[in-house]
Amino acid sequence: MRGFMLFLFSMLTGWTVYGQTKSVQGMLKDDKNRIVAGATVKLTSKLDSMTTGSNMAGIFIFDKVKADTFKITVSNLGFERFEQEFTIPKGESKHIIPSLTLQQNSQMLEEVVVDGVPTVVVKSDTLEYSMKDLKLRDGAVAEDALKKLQGVEVDKDGNVTAQGESVKRVRINGKDFFGGDVKTATQNLPANIIQKMQVIDDYGDMANVTGNKNGDSEKVLNIQIDPKYNTGHMTTLRAGVGTEDRYQATGMWMGMREGEQISVLGNLNNTNAPLFDFSTVGGGARRGQGGGGRRGGGGMFGGSDGLTKIGSIGLNYRKDFSDKLTVYGSYSFSHSNNTTLSQRFQENTLPNIMQTDSVTSNSNTIGDSHRFEANVEWKPTTKDYIKISPQFGYDNSDVTTGTNSLTYRSGAFNNSQIQDVFANSSAPRFGISGLYNHKFNDKGRNVFVNMNFNNAKTTKDQNAILDRLLADPNNASAPLDSIYEKTILEANNKSWNGGASVNYTEPVSEKGKIEFTYDFNKNKYDNSNKQQGFDRDGNLIAEDPKLNFDYNYDYSFTTHKVGANYLYSGDKITYSIGAAAQPSQLRGDAISSGLVVPIHRNNMNWMPIARFEYKFSRQSNITVNYSGTPNEPSVTQILPFDMSTNRTSIVIGNANLNPEFSHQLNVRFRKNDFQKGNNFFAFVNAGLTNNKIVSLSKSYFDDLIDYQTGQTNSTLVSETRYLNETSDKPFNVNSFYHYGKSLKEKTYNIMLMGGISYNKNIGYVSTEKDDDIGQKNVARNIVLNQGLMFRYNPSENLEINPGVRYQFNHTENSVTNRNTNVSSWTPTLIGSVNITKNTIFGADLSKQFNNGYGAGINANPFVINTYLEQKFLSQQRGTVRLQAFDLLNQQTNVSRTFSESMITDSRTNRLGRYFMILFTYKFQKFAMGNPAGENRLPGGMRPPRM
């Protein structure tokens, strides 16, 4: 620990230590003799590693150069990479390099030039936005800048979507920041040091290294720091207290020098403002492979629902040891305490019976999360590239849930139930991935190898108590009978995932090449589950097998994929076409009381390899991509024993299940005219699944014994089983479009966006205990979204954003022939104005008009947030803000979910009304001067979202 503290202290105090000898100056121009501003320029030698940027005149300057011989490297989107060595003549202390000429990149689609600086650059998979002309108020952060970018949206919870798709990861200067955690970067990074933002359709490390794209892309945001602010440091401290015992204490320190960056963040609050999202997994070479080692989604904070107390701290570090070696990674820790109150109205899909459940629950989750991720990138030669990414994590949680439910059948009361569950779980995990790429020549002959291994273990102890009161359907006045049971469950679940792939490309013409691929992947599961049942007096109920069991199940899912395809890259057309074969094996055994059930399946899938892109013009293109993926059954779906925690809710798997296979087709279209302020994006995604694993949902009466009284009662039981759907193919289609129009130098902005989704799900339902087939139910769901937003932003001192959103949700079931609809209108008004130069007033108003939700769920909240902010101190580094959150105390969350056997309307509590006063202090110091608007405050340090 002492050594670590000395190491950390040396880094924190070493930012002001620089060498000094000579200075180097140069100018950048393009092949048409125009200046090139905003390019990244790097100087390297055995003694130096420096980075700067070209200014508005295209000039770059390096001070304190130690070596006489050095290499200049220039990179800028839209131009070919430039590299050249130079030598300073002996005795010269200031060396001026003759003008350097950059060559245009032939793959560039379009750039818009304003005053010599590109403001929007469009590449096939990248949209790059310059921050130069954005009208941002002092105090803006990356998130505020994102809200002003065409085609980008940020919701009130900080989630970012670009061109209708969710942004999954964030990078800073091309490298993951806190494992790619989106909100950690966008809500903490000051906007005044950002030079560019890039929205990228990322196809993974193989595509980034080789250019060969496979599978689906994910949206990634890359934030480029202005090179002149790559040497210096910034500090932000914030503290606030409020009514309802609300508090907030946050801090950030970020230091940067040539080739090195370190960030430290801390956060303590009870205002539902988590600092990290632990469901984000960055780094690794092979993403989305499933299996062990990957943390489940959703984090430990339950989104914005409920009330949460949070304490977090994190460290992010990056070091460029040389042009050949870069190391970066992060450690994050969070402790959270969340309490969520919810109401649900559930409508079950059953033949000839209307069964509904009204459920209220109170859940408290206390948990700790640790996450460490590192990346080592090494380029031993100009033709070789190696990346290694280890990952460690640990989660621990204590969950207490109390649930009260009322069940009605055909309008008559059937039973009421109280269930209390106490559970503790711990989940350590470890993973490592790596890749190696070798270029045989510059014509396209290449081999790419990557691998991964992930390992996870979950230990869970659960104590559940169920107390059900039963009504007599023939005598409503009769006393209620009861069923009571207590169960203690111990579960140990181990899983690991490993795999490797090889891609070899061979050029066959100037624009064409052949790619050969092999991919191996294996998911392994080894689980045990033991449960015991007790009566009201704590006596063991040994005679009931539904309450007492001891299961072990061990199985694996292995796939081999062999394929070949032809890739062509022309001026207007780019495509790849081929085919792949993918055999899969499902192997294992389920064991209970000496009974062994084998799980052995072999499957073969043939799939096309197809990707197509056509450029209609320099500003318009369309891409089409197909992908196919096999999915193994989950542990719950495949285990052929009753795994229920109580006798009234039964889940039994099916050892005869086959893996399902999903086909996905994505079409994207883009047409832009940024010179005129117009942009249009649209996409359509369609998916179809063979051998879809579907549920058989049954609701029937069974005779159960109350072991306290010995009385047998007829009790309503819910049972779920699983089977493959072979006669029909469930599918889904969803679409989105966005049209934006900017007028009068972006003073006026109009955005029209929307989409429609259609889902066809298949399920089987029954009201008979011994029915193993059930009646087929085709459940269809259509969701229509539409929004119209307007922004008036004449200067950084005034911004007004009115808008309205509409959603319509239609559901129909073939078994009941019943259609249900819910809809909502949400007008919003967000704005801020400088009352004086240093005084700001802001407000955020939103009203929901919901219609069609189930009994007791519907709500129409009117949420008003407002603040008054005053800046003071030298250089206005201090800020005091008085804010009011949810003035009318109406905030709640209403939603509908849909499955093949149930429609659920939910309502959950959210943080309610409070008032808070906050003090913020910020200091920035950079070697090349402080940016304009030094007081812009990191948003994660900000109060709850306005």
Side-chain angles (χ1 to χ4, degrees):
M1 177 60 72
R2 181 181 178 185
F4 173 77
M5 295 302 296
L6 290 173
F7 168 71
L8 182 60
F9 178 77
S10 67
M11 288 193 296
L12 297 178
T13 57
W15 302 100
T16 58
V17 180
Y18 311 105
Q20 57 180 357
T21 45
K22 308 173 182 68
S23 67
V24 174
Q25 179 177 321
M27 176 181 287
L28 302 180
K29 294 184 178 181
D30 66 10
D31 51 8
K32 296 182 180 179
N33 207 35
R34 298 178 300 187
I35 64 172
V36 177
T40 300
V41 186
K42 191 168 186 178
L43 183 151
T44 55
S45 69
K46 293 181 179 179
L47 302 175
D48 307 284
S49 178
M50 305 179 181
T51 304
T52 188
S54 56
N55 62 20
M56 295 294 295
I59 296 173
F60 62 89
I61 300 174
F62 291 102
D63 293 319
K64 304 172 185 176
V65 178
K66 299 175 184 177
D68 292 329
T69 300
F70 55 86
K71 181 171 66 175
I72 294 291
T73 304
V74 183
S75 59
N76 194 35
L77 192 62
F79 296 93
E80 300 288 348
R81 182 182 176 90
F82 176 92
E83 288 187 353
Q84 187 174 331
E85 285 196 353
F86 298 90
T87 300
I88 300 176
K90 188 174 181 180
E92 195 173 281
S93 60
K94 182 177 181 180
H95 181 61
I96 299 178
I97 300 173
S99 296
L100 306 180
T101 301
L102 305 184
Q103 299 297 321
Q104 295 278 347
N105 190 326
S106 60
Q107 294 186 5
M108 188 60 57
L109 292 181
E110 180 65 8
E111 68 177 31
V112 181
V113 180
V114 179
D115 296 332
V117 179
T119 60
V120 181
V121 176
V122 184
K123 200 176 178 182
S124 59
D125 295 324
T126 302
L127 274 178
E128 181 181 276
Y129 302 86
S130 171
M131 299 294 102
K132 173 182 175 294
D133 62 341
L134 295 184
K135 300 168 184 176
L136 295 172
R137 177 180 281 110
D138 289 354
V141 291
E143 183 179 87
D144 299 308
L146 283 169
K147 293 177 181 179
K148 296 179 182 292
L149 303 184
Q150 298 183 38
V152 179
E153 290 187 84
V154 184
D155 68 17
K156 288 190 177 183
D157 293 326
N159 302 303
V160 182
T161 57
Q163 302 162 39
E165 299 178 71
S166 176
V167 172
K168 301 296 185 182
R169 294 207 312 275
V170 166
R171 299 169 181 152
I172 292 182
N173 292 343
K175 308 300 181 184
D176 285 346
F177 183 72
F178 280 100
D181 200 324
V182 175
K183 298 178 190 179
T184 302
T186 60
Q187 296 176 359
N188 286 281
L189 195 65
N192 56 4
I193 67 170
I194 300 175
Q195 182 185 49
K196 305 172 185 176
M197 287 190 179
Q198 298 171 328
V199 177
I200 304 168
D201 291 327
D202 185 74
Y203 287 85
D205 281 326
M206 187 180 76
N208 297 334
V209 174
T210 69
N212 300 336
K213 302 171 185 177
N214 290 317
D216 297 327
S217 65
E218 65 178 19
K219 280 288 189 290
V220 172
L221 173 67
N222 181 46
I223 299 175
Q224 197 74 32
I225 304 298
D226 193 324
K228 62 177 174 286
Y229 302 129
N230 275 336
T231 300
H233 61 89
M234 64 188 77
T235 303
T236 300
L237 300 173
R238 168 168 287 176
V241 294
T243 61
E244 308 299 325
D245 296 323
R246 299 288 164 227
Y247 59 85
Q248 183 178 7
T250 54
M252 181 191 80
W253 182 87
M254 177 182 287
M256 293 169 285
R257 60 182 177 185
E258 297 300 336
E260 193 170 7
Q261 180 269 329
I262 184 172
S263 300
V264 181
L265 286 81
N267 177 30
L268 185 67
N269 71 78
N270 62 355
T271 58
N272 286 29
L275 188 59
F276 305 111
D277 178 4
F278 286 87
S279 64
T280 301
V281 178
R286 282 167 57 87
R287 68 170 187 235
Q289 298 298 312
R294 298 288 186 179
R295 188 182 196 276
M300 300 197 68
F301 305 107
S304 296
D305 289 337
L307 304 178
T308 307
K309 300 177 182 178
I310 303 168
S312 307
I313 192 168
L315 171 70
N316 189 85
Y317 181 69
R318 172 178 173 176
K319 174 70 173 178
D320 298 327
F321 291 94
S322 67
D323 279 349
K324 296 182 178 181
L325 181 63
T326 297
V327 177
Y328 57 99
S330 65
Y331 166 75
S332 307
F333 166 77
S334 182
H335 174 80
S336 66
N337 186 332
N338 172 269
T339 299
T340 300
L341 307 178
S342 65
Q343 297 173 267
R344 300 193 307 274
F345 183 80
Q346 300 173 175
E347 182 178 310
N348 300 272
T349 304
L350 294 169
N352 306 318
I353 289 290
M354 172 66 75
Q355 180 176 316
T356 60
D357 298 283
S358 179
V359 184
T360 61
S361 67
N362 185 337
S363 179
N364 175 249
T365 302
I366 301 174
D368 296 321
S369 291
H370 301 261
R371 178 183 63 192
F372 170 79
E373 298 184 315
N375 296 271
V376 179
E377 297 184 14
W378 182 37
K379 301 175 183 177
T381 71
T382 58
K383 295 183 178 181
D384 297 283
Y385 172 69
I386 298 171
K387 180 179 179 181
I388 304 295
S389 303
Q391 300 173 351
F392 304 91
Y394 179 82
D395 297 329
N396 181 76
S397 66
D398 291 293
V399 182
T400 302
T401 303
T403 304
N404 292 274
S405 62
L406 299 173
T407 300
Y408 296 85
R409 284 173 65 91
S410 300
F413 172 70
N414 180 270
N415 70 76
S416 65
Q417 179 172 289
I418 298 175
Q419 185 168 24
D420 296 313
V421 178
F422 310 90
N424 170 266
S425 65
S426 60
R429 62 191 185 279
F430 162 76
I432 187 169
S433 62
L435 65 84
Y436 169 71
N437 187 76
H438 177 73
K439 295 181 179 180
F440 292 96
N441 56 40
D442 295 331
K443 297 180 180 179
R445 181 178 296 166
N446 190 87
V447 63
F448 179 91
V449 181
N450 68 0
M451 56 72 65
N452 79 293
F453 177 82
N454 298 293
N455 185 66
K457 178 181 179 181
T458 301
T459 301
K460 180 179 180 180
D461 295 315
Q462 178 175 290
N463 188 326
I465 297 174
L466 178 140
D467 194 355
R468 174 178 281 196
L469 299 178
L470 311 172
D472 186 345
N474 300 316
N475 185 0
S477 303
L480 300 180
D481 294 322
S482 69
I483 290 291
Y484 176 93
E485 54 195 44
K486 175 181 178 180
T487 55
I488 296 178
L489 174 71
E490 296 179 9
N492 292 282
N493 302 319
K494 300 178 183 178
S495 62
W496 63 263
N497 161 259
S501 64
V502 180
N503 293 67
Y504 175 79
T505 54
E506 178 68 28
V508 293
S509 66
E510 181 181 353
K511 297 181 179 180
K513 53 188 175 181
I514 296 177
E515 179 184 32
F516 300 95
T517 63
Y518 169 73
D519 185 280
F520 166 80
N521 195 73
K522 184 171 184 176
N523 297 333
K524 184 75 166 59
Y525 306 89
D526 183 6
N527 303 326
S528 63
N529 205 317
K530 181 179 181 180
Q531 179 174 284
Q532 292 180 309
F534 300 86
D535 62 20
R536 291 181 189 270
D537 297 327
N539 300 313
L540 178 66
I541 307 172
E543 64 270 26
D544 195 323
K546 289 187 176 181
L547 296 179
N548 297 272
F549 53 75
D550 189 353
Y551 298 143
N552 291 278
Y553 36 106
D554 185 349
Y555 73 100
S556 63
F557 182 65
T558 306
T559 61
H560 303 263
K561 182 179 178 181
V562 181
N565 64 102
Y566 174 74
L567 298 93
Y568 175 85
S569 180
D571 295 332
K572 281 188 168 292
I573 297 177
T574 301
Y575 67 85
S576 61
I577 186 169
Q582 188 172 50
S584 64
Q585 293 182 333
L586 191 61
R587 290 286 186 272
D589 296 290
I591 305 171
S592 174
S593 302
L595 176 64
V596 180
V597 178
I599 305 170
H600 292 173
R601 301 286 179 276
N602 293 323
N603 293 84
M604 172 65 77
N605 293 294
W606 297 90
M607 68 195 77
I609 297 174
R611 188 178 186 277
F612 174 82
E613 179 180 356
Y614 181 76
K615 302 171 186 176
F616 298 96
S617 68
R618 300 185 70 198
Q619 301 189 72
S620 177
N621 72 317
I622 186 172
T623 60
V624 181
N625 185 68
Y626 164 84
S627 61
T629 308
N631 302 302
E632 76 271 28
S634 68
V635 171
T636 301
Q637 292 170 336
I638 205 169
L639 184 67
F641 306 117
D642 186 348
M643 282 285 294
S644 313
T645 57
N646 63 71
R647 294 174 292 162
T648 63
S649 181
I650 299 172
V651 178
I652 301 176
N654 180 2
N656 296 317
L657 285 177
N658 283 307
E660 60 186 29
F661 190 87
S662 299
H663 305 266
Q664 195 73 30
L665 181 67
N666 303 321
V667 181
R668 292 190 179 98
F669 175 76
R670 177 167 57 200
K671 182 176 177 60
N672 307 302
D673 191 343
F674 289 104
Q675 296 98 324
K676 296 181 180 180
N678 300 332
N679 69 89
F680 179 78
F681 307 101
F683 72 76
V684 177
N685 296 332
L688 182 146
T689 305
N690 293 331
N691 275 335
K692 176 70 175 180
I693 298 173
V694 300
S695 63
L696 166 59
S697 301
K698 299 191 289 185
S699 180
Y700 56 85
F701 288 95
D702 196 10
D703 291 332
L704 300 182
I705 299 175
D706 186 322
Y707 289 98
Q708 186 70 26
T709 64
Q711 182 179 351
T712 299
N713 299 303
S714 180
T715 305
L716 187 63
V717 175
S718 298
E719 181 179 319
T720 302
R721 294 177 179 263
Y722 299 96
L723 54 118
N724 289 110
E725 174 58 36
T726 57
S727 63
D728 204 346
K729 292 180 174 59
F731 68 90
N732 64 84
V733 180
N734 69 87
S735 63
F736 176 84
Y737 79 92
H738 177 281
Y739 172 75
K741 177 71 175 178
S742 298
L743 302 169
K744 200 177 178 180
E745 297 181 351
K746 299 184 180 179
T747 297
Y748 304 94
N749 293 270
I750 301 172
M751 291 155 285
L752 183 67
M753 74 286 289
I756 187 170
S757 66
Y758 176 85
N759 294 276
K760 176 188 175 183
N761 289 345
I762 305 295
Y764 291 82
V765 294
S766 177
T767 56
E768 302 295 331
K769 177 182 178 180
D770 298 324
D771 190 351
D772 293 330
I773 300 176
Q775 184 175 342
K776 183 176 180 177
N777 179 54
V778 180
R780 293 180 172 87
N781 177 242
I782 301 173
V783 179
L784 171 67
N785 289 284
Q786 186 62 59
L788 175 63
M789 314 299 290
F790 176 78
R791 181 169 65 238
Y792 175 61
N793 190 195
S795 71
E796 64 273 12
N797 297 323
L798 175 63
E799 182 173 353
I800 302 175
N801 297 272
V804 62
R805 294 181 183 272
Y806 173 74
Q807 184 179 86
F808 175 77
N809 190 319
H810 171 81
T811 304
E812 58 184 62
N813 292 284
S814 63
V815 165
T816 62
N817 290 319
R818 186 168 184 267
N819 301 334
T820 61
N821 301 315
V822 297
S823 62
S824 66
W825 288 91
T826 308
T828 60
L829 178 62
I830 304 172
S832 60
V833 60
N834 279 62
I835 300 174
T836 69
K837 180 181 179 181
N838 301 320
T839 307
I840 305 168
F841 172 77
D844 177 350
L845 292 76
S846 66
K847 172 67 176 177
Q848 281 189 309
F849 298 93
N850 296 309
N851 184 51
Y853 286 95
I857 302 300
N858 201 70
N860 300 300
F862 186 19
V863 179
I864 302 175
N865 303 323
T866 186
Y867 69 91
L868 183 66
E869 185 174 276
Q870 179 68 43
K871 299 180 183 299
F872 62 102
L873 295 182
S874 173
Q875 299 181 352
Q876 301 189 5
R877 293 187 174 122
T879 302
V880 170
R881 171 181 283 202
L882 176 63
Q883 68 180 32
F885 184 80
D886 190 15
L887 275 172
L888 303 180
N889 202 29
Q890 293 186 7
Q891 182 160 246
T892 189
N893 182 42
V894 177
S895 64
R896 165 165 288 193
T897 57
F898 157 84
S899 72
E900 63 273 14
S901 60
M902 183 181 296
I903 300 172
T904 302
D905 293 337
S906 301
R907 177 175 172 175
T908 55
N909 70 318
R910 289 195 169 189
L911 186 66
R913 178 173 53 204
Y914 69 91
F915 301 87
M916 178 174 278
I917 186 168
L918 300 105
F919 170 73
T920 304
Y921 178 81
K922 180 176 181 183
F923 177 77
Q924 295 182 352
K925 184 175 182 179
F926 295 95
M928 299 187 67
N930 294 329
E934 178 182 340
N935 279 312
R936 292 174 179 172
L937 307 172
M941 310 291 116
R942 59 158 173 70
R945 189 173 314 281
M946 290 290 100

